[in-house]
Structure formats: C-alpha cells, structure tokens
Amino acid sequence: MAGRIRDEDIALVRERTSIAEVISDRVTLRSAGGGNLKGLCPFHDEKTPSFTVAPARNVYFCHGCGAGGDAIKFLMDAEHLTFVESVERLADRAGIQLRYDETGPSPTRQQPGQRQRLVAAHAAAVEFYTGQLGTPGARLAREFLAERGFDRAAAERYGCGFAPDAWDHLTKHLRQKGFTGPELVTAGLSRESRSGSLIDRFRRRLLWPIRELTGDVIGFGARKLFDTDDGPKYLNTPETPIYKKSHVLYGIDQAKREIAKQGRAVIVEGYTDVMACHLAGVTTAVATCGTAFGVDHIGVLRRLLMDSDEVTGEIIFTFDGDAAGQKAALRAFEEDQRFVGRTFIAVSPDNMDPCDLRLAKGDLAVRDLVARREPLVDFALRQVLARYDLDTVDGRVEAMRRAAPLVAKLKDRDKRPEYVRKLALDLGMEIEPVQRAVLAAGSDPGAAAPVRPKRTEPVLDSPQSLVEREALKLALQVPVLAGPMFDAVGEDAYRHPVHVAVRAAVAEAGGATAAVSGAVWIERVRDACADLMGRALVGELAVEPLRIDREPDPGYVSVTLAQIQLGSVTARIRELKSKIQRINPVAHKDEYLAMVGALVPLEQHARALREQAVGGL
C-alpha cells in the first residue's frame, strides 16, 4: 500500500469523534460554563484545573502548559502516537473504514489490514515463546537471566521467552492459528530453508519481544546461549513492514510516560541493561536494537521530550569505559547537536554496564551512575585532549586544532564562549588563539560571539496585543463571520511576533473567508504555523472566550480590525514624524516634501479608523 489517509476520511473521523468522550477516558471533566468542560491536565502536574475542552468546536487547550488541539492531537500527546496511528485508533473506535490514496510505490507502508495481521502474529509468537521459557530445554535461558539478577517476575514483566531446539515449532503453531506462510515470512518470524519449506527464524535462543510506542510487539531480539550455535551473539528480526530497526528503541513502551514526565531519557546498550535500569529505579532507560543510535531514534525521543527551542530535556548516554565505549560516546556527540536539550554521558568507573553494575553493587549504584552524569561535550573534549602531550607546544597546538571543531559544533551558541575559555584553560594557552581556532572551525563567522542583541517586543497584555489577540480569536472561532474583513488586514498590521506568525498561518491555511469553524479549521491553522509558540497560541485562542458578553456580529469584527489597523497606522505616523523632525528641509527639500506628502494620507486614514473603532461607521 502507498500513500496517505484520504482527507475526507480524516474529516469524517474528526466529525464522528466526540472529543469529550475521548478525553474523559483519561481526565475527569466538569462543566466550566459556556458549554465548555474543565479538568486537571494530563500533560503536567497541577492542583487547579486549567485544562479546557470545547465540545462545540471539538478542541481542547491547557492554560497551564499550552497543550492543545483536537481528538487526534490528544491521542498523539497522551499515547505518544503518530498522526496516522491516532487517526487509525479513532477510526476503529468510530467504526470507520479508512481509505488510502495511491501516490506511487512505498516500501514503508503495509497493505490494508496487513499491520493488524503482523502484529497479531507477533502477539501469538510472544505467547508461544514465553510458554517455552519454562520447559526443560530452556534451562540455559533461565540460568542466563538468573545469573544477571532477573527473577521470574522480571522475565514475565519484559516478556522474555525461549525459541526451542526445533526447526519449525513456531511456524507450525502459528499456521494452526490461521496465519499463512507468506504472512510469517513477511513478519520475520519464519524463513525459507534450502529445501524451500518454512522454518523458524529463531532457534535455541533467549528472546526479548521488541515493542513500539503503542505497546504492540513488532519484532524480537535473540541472544545466543549454546556454544554450538555458530550465529552472531545477538540476532534481531529483519526489516519488515512494521519493524524498522533505525526507528525502534527497546523499552520505549514502558519508559515513554516517565520520559515525558521527567524530561529525561537514558540510552543504554542492551536489553538486560534496560531491564536492570528499570528495576533499579531508572525508569527512563531505552536501548537501540541491533544498530547504532541515530537520527531516527532522535526523532522518537524528541517527540517524547517535546524537545524544542522552548522546551528542553536531558539525554543521558551510558557507555562502558573501555575504548569501544569511548568511541561510541564520541559518535553520540556527533548526533548531540540534533537535540536542543542538554546531552550527558554516564560512564561507570569500573567499566561495567548497568546490568553488571546492578549485579555487583545493587540498585543504588545504577541510580548513582546516572546521577553522576557529565555534559557530553566535556567528556568529548577530555577524550580528545588525552591523545596529546600538552606539555609540548606541538601537542597543545594539535590538541587545540582537534578540539576546536567540537566547540564550534555546539548548537547552544551562548555556551561557546564559556567552552572557549575552558578549552584555553585546559590547554594552558591564551584565549585569543583558541577563539580564532573555534571561529575558523565553525561555519558561522559569528558563532563564538559572546553577546547576542536582544529584540524588543510589544508586551503581551498591551492594548495593541489584546486587540490583536481578539482578532485572531475571531478568525479561529467564527471564521465565517470574520471572513473578508479579517483577511483584508494583512500580517503587517500586527505588532507582536507570535501574533504575526498566527496571522500568517491563517493566510497559509487558505484564509478565514474559505474556512468553516470547527476542529478541522483550527488544526489546519496550527499545522500551517511554523512558529512553535504560535502553534501553542492557536490552541489557546481556540477555546478562550471573546471579550464581549454577547454573540459576535459583523459590527464587532469591524471595530476589532479597525483597532488593529489604528495601532499599526499610528506607529507608522510616529516613525514618519520622527524622520521629518531629523531631516533638514532646506538641504533635503525633495525628501522632506515626499515625507510630508506621505504623512497627510496616513493621518486621514488614522482619523477614519478612529471613527470606525468606536463604532462610528
């Protein structure tokens, strides 16, 4: 299957979904007056309800943390689903059969119903493998877990299982349950033998089910137990329509809520490390599955951490202290700058991974390992400097050349001057040559500038900002009424940058004239808004009451938009008068007359707007 869910089906899902019912599954809602409902926000801790649901418009917004959107967005945030997953979940709830547009071949999207079949096959495989763990043939698997400090309860919690010493036990079992041979091959559970018959992919191995964010099992990781097994130490499910190793993080299903809650993710190297961390109280630990930590993994974590220019979290990498672990840490630094959040490393002083550390020194030692984390850039710089003899001139200069690019790569520019000073101190050099080296290593000539100019912005509760806010509420809540009058006043009339971004998003979404009120329109504006603060503001304005005690009418829209234009025109008049005041009318006669000529119509326009703003027209 290729393509995307049809727009009309998405609209149908929104139409047939009661946002109040969806949210009531998680939040106790009470009447807030005006048809709205209110409850405690599920996305942040609060004692006073600030989470507002507007059933009439099928949207929600939290005045405490800024979360907002429609039922689809709520599931995305609450369950950490993708847009498509949320639509599919709500479609199942409403009994809607989704259709997908054909847009060409796509290897990453499964056939209609295929995902459900593959997930069901994996669920049946988990049941089979966990049952096998208690058999006599699985003795080595049980011993492996016990030797690493995991009892029966831990094995059950993580769904550990055993692939028996047989060629096709699982394949026959799943076929008896109605799964076809092609389905089992596609799922990565079976493979063709040399004779052409189907055999199990995993044999004589300890297994961990690998789950995605939703909790569905989509693959397995298998550990070698027998010396006679000539395969790799770890064997994973191959790439399938539902299993993409570059997107998968083991343990994410159990860690996702704590990652979102704590704003922290701990990256470990193996399945047993995840288990050890969770059992020791480090509940935000996850691990990659048969591949290095990369860009797609970062995307998964950024969703959970809400990693943006406004909201930052912590990424903590744990690596062995040996050469391989140090090399992995330096690789991680290369990806570090894709996060806005702070990135750290935690290295055990005894070169033990979290599983070994828990076994040797207990749960507290694992928690202490994470607590003693240090900034990843500090670790990376120390590793680079350790390669050179800093007692010699050549050693210091070469170390400076190698370390400077690390400082230049720092995404947070405000940190660069401090790390320039730190690097100079560590090298025993003057700050100027180090600063030059960092500047030369960076692509931005001003990267290490210690001070950035501050932009002055209008105060959010100023009269101008309040009327801008009201106009945007009209466009979002009653676009049919605001329509042409709103669209006629461009974004240049708005002063506050966030309001400008939202006004531009309304235009990008097609304008208020072409809109119909409701969640679809609000979501369209939100999607069109490139500014993160603006996107949050869209959700807030969608549920915020208008500043009148009656239903809005065309006259109210006219007055509001006149007030916006009046503020903009008045500011232009002030700027023009200031320039006229500074210019010499004799030496620059033509320029002076041109400015005066421009001032007259502006003042006439301002008078007309004042009359309109007080309802005179």
Side-chain angles (χ1 to χ4, degrees):
M1 180 71 192
R4 55 193 291 274
I5 302 173
R6 291 187 179 181
D7 290 344
E8 54 266 36
D9 288 355
I10 296 174
L12 186 61
V13 167
R14 285 192 170 110
E15 179 185 334
R16 292 191 183 176
T17 298
S18 167
I19 192 168
E21 291 181 4
V22 172
I23 293 178
S24 291
D25 291 343
R26 289 179 163 271
V27 181
T28 300
L29 297 173
R30 304 185 189 282
S31 175
N36 287 350
L37 303 171
K38 205 169 225 184
L40 293 174
C41 180
F43 304 119
H44 80 287
D45 294 329
E46 63 177 6
K47 296 181 180 179
T48 303
S50 61
F51 185 83
T52 301
V53 179
R57 293 187 291 278
N58 253 352
V59 295
Y60 70 92
F61 182 77
C62 176
H63 296 272
C65 68
D70 62 359
I72 297 172
K73 185 65 164 56
F74 181 82
L75 275 190
M76 291 173 67
D77 291 343
E79 297 291 339
H80 304 293
L81 306 178
T82 65
F83 178 83
V84 171
E85 291 166 346
S86 296
V87 173
E88 290 173 341
R89 181 81 63 89
L90 291 174
D92 288 341
R93 180 176 180 139
I96 298 171
Q97 179 66 46
L98 296 176
R99 298 165 297 171
Y100 298 84
D101 286 329
E102 294 282 351
T103 58
S106 173
T108 61
R109 185 159 191 89
Q110 56 268 21
Q111 298 291 335
Q114 183 189 55
R115 173 185 168 79
Q116 288 78 7
R117 294 288 295 170
L118 299 185
V119 168
H122 277 86
V126 170
E127 184 180 5
F128 174 83
Y129 285 139
T130 54
Q132 291 291 318
L133 188 60
T135 62
R139 179 179 59 84
L140 282 182
R142 295 192 298 272
E143 289 178 354
F144 178 93
L145 292 170
E147 288 170 358
R148 283 154 182 79
F150 305 121
D151 57 15
R152 181 175 178 178
E156 290 177 353
R157 173 178 171 179
Y158 293 92
C160 296
F162 178 72
D165 186 6
W167 290 107
D168 59 359
H169 273 20
L170 176 69
T171 300
K172 287 181 178 178
H173 175 77
L174 294 181
R175 277 188 152 173
Q176 290 173 358
K177 286 185 171 291
F179 295 99
T180 67
E183 284 178 331
L184 299 182
V185 172
T186 301
L189 295 169
S190 304
R191 61 185 178 87
E192 286 191 1
S193 66
R194 292 178 181 175
S195 65
S197 61
L198 286 188
I199 59 175
D200 298 346
R201 178 167 294 278
F202 302 114
R203 178 170 169 261
R204 299 197 305 163
R205 285 180 174 249
L206 173 63
L207 296 178
W208 286 268
I210 299 171
R211 302 176 188 271
E212 61 181 354
L213 275 168
T214 62
D216 291 334
V217 177
I218 55 175
F220 290 93
R223 173 51 157 89
K224 180 168 71 174
L225 298 170
F226 296 88
D227 294 336
T228 54
D229 187 338
D230 58 359
K233 183 177 179 180
Y234 281 95
L235 183 65
N236 286 72
T237 294
E239 295 279 306
T240 73
I242 62 173
Y243 180 82
K244 308 295 177 186
K245 63 183 180 181
S246 63
H247 293 72
V248 175
L249 288 167
Y250 177 73
I252 195 71
D253 58 304
Q254 296 199 33
K256 63 182 181 181
R257 299 194 191 284
E258 286 300 310
I259 290 175
K261 181 179 178 181
Q262 297 181 29
R264 170 189 295 178
V266 178
I267 314 300
V268 297
E269 292 191 275
Y271 307 119
T272 57
D273 292 330
V274 170
M275 294 173 67
C277 282
H278 287 189
L279 295 173
V282 182
T283 52
T284 60
V286 294
T288 59
C289 301
T291 186
F293 186 82
V295 175
D296 293 323
H297 298 122
I298 290 173
V300 174
L301 291 179
R302 290 196 69 165
R303 278 171 55 193
L304 297 177
L305 291 166
M306 295 183 294
D307 185 66
S308 68
D309 290 336
E310 284 75 37
V311 183
T312 59
E314 287 188 5
I315 306 296
I316 303 171
F317 294 94
T318 65
F319 296 107
D320 295 342
D322 58 14
Q326 293 176 8
K327 184 177 180 181
L330 292 177
R331 271 201 316 269
F333 179 80
E334 294 300 314
E335 302 295 347
D336 172 30
Q337 305 314 308
R338 296 179 185 272
F339 287 106
V340 175
R342 297 161 293 167
T343 314
F344 299 84
I345 186 169
V347 178
S348 170
D350 301 312
N351 294 345
M352 291 189 289
D353 58 36
C355 182
D356 292 336
L357 186 61
R358 176 176 180 261
L359 195 62
K361 299 187 178 182
D363 292 349
L364 181 59
V366 178
R367 296 196 295 271
D368 285 345
L369 169 65
V370 175
R372 292 195 308 267
R373 64 198 181 279
E374 67 171 322
L376 184 56
V377 61
D378 290 12
F379 176 84
L381 286 171
R382 192 168 64 252
Q383 295 303 310
V384 169
L385 298 186
R387 302 173 191 166
Y388 301 95
D389 182 0
L390 301 184
D391 292 330
T392 67
V393 173
D394 288 345
R396 288 194 294 272
V397 171
E398 190 59 29
M400 177 188 69
R401 289 171 178 165
R402 300 297 181 183
L406 299 184
V407 178
K409 286 179 181 178
L410 288 174
K411 186 168 185 175
D412 189 341
R413 295 184 178 186
D414 290 336
K415 290 181 180 179
R416 293 179 191 173
E418 290 302 317
Y419 274 100
V420 168
R421 281 188 279 272
K422 183 180 185 304
L423 180 57
L425 185 63
D426 291 342
L427 291 168
M429 299 176 65
E430 295 294 331
I431 193 171
E432 287 78 10
V434 176
Q435 190 170 39
R436 287 196 298 270
V438 171
L439 286 169
S443 58
D444 182 356
V451 179
R452 288 185 294 176
K454 294 182 178 180
R455 182 179 63 185
T456 57
E457 298 177 351
V459 181
L460 270 174
D461 59 356
S462 68
Q464 176 68 18
S465 289
L466 290 176
V467 75
E468 290 176 8
R469 190 181 184 95
E470 191 74 355
L472 294 172
K473 282 189 285 184
L474 288 168
L476 292 170
Q477 296 183 21
V478 286
V480 176
L481 177 66
M485 286 187 285
F486 178 88
D487 291 341
V489 180
E491 63 186 75
D492 56 341
Y494 293 74
R495 304 294 301 283
H496 198 282
V498 180
H499 296 163
V500 172
V502 175
R503 175 62 185 87
V506 171
E508 180 68 21
T513 304
V516 177
S517 60
V520 175
W521 165 239
I522 292 165
E523 196 63 27
R524 191 186 307 163
V525 175
R526 188 201 305 275
D527 291 343
C529 190
D531 183 90
L532 291 173
M533 292 183 67
R535 296 178 74 176
L537 183 62
V538 170
E540 183 175 348
L541 297 179
V543 299
E544 182 177 297
L546 294 167
R547 295 166 63 86
I548 53 172
D549 296 329
R550 54 182 171 79
E551 287 296 315
D553 55 22
Y556 184 70
V557 176
S558 175
V559 167
T560 302
L561 293 170
Q563 290 173 338
I564 283 186
Q565 294 177 84
L566 181 59
S568 175
V569 171
T570 301
R572 287 162 59 192
I573 289 173
R574 284 198 304 268
E575 292 172 2
L576 196 53
K577 284 184 175 180
S578 176
K579 290 181 179 179
I580 292 173
Q581 185 71 25
R582 295 193 303 269
I583 199 170
N584 186 322
V586 177
H588 304 281
K589 181 179 179 181
D590 292 341
E591 188 177 357
Y592 177 81
L593 291 176
M595 289 183 181
V596 172
L599 180 61
V600 173
L602 276 177
E603 291 183 324
Q604 290 174 343
H605 189 197
R607 282 193 295 271
L609 288 172
R610 286 191 190 95
E611 292 179 6
Q612 185 179 345
V614 297
L617 294 181

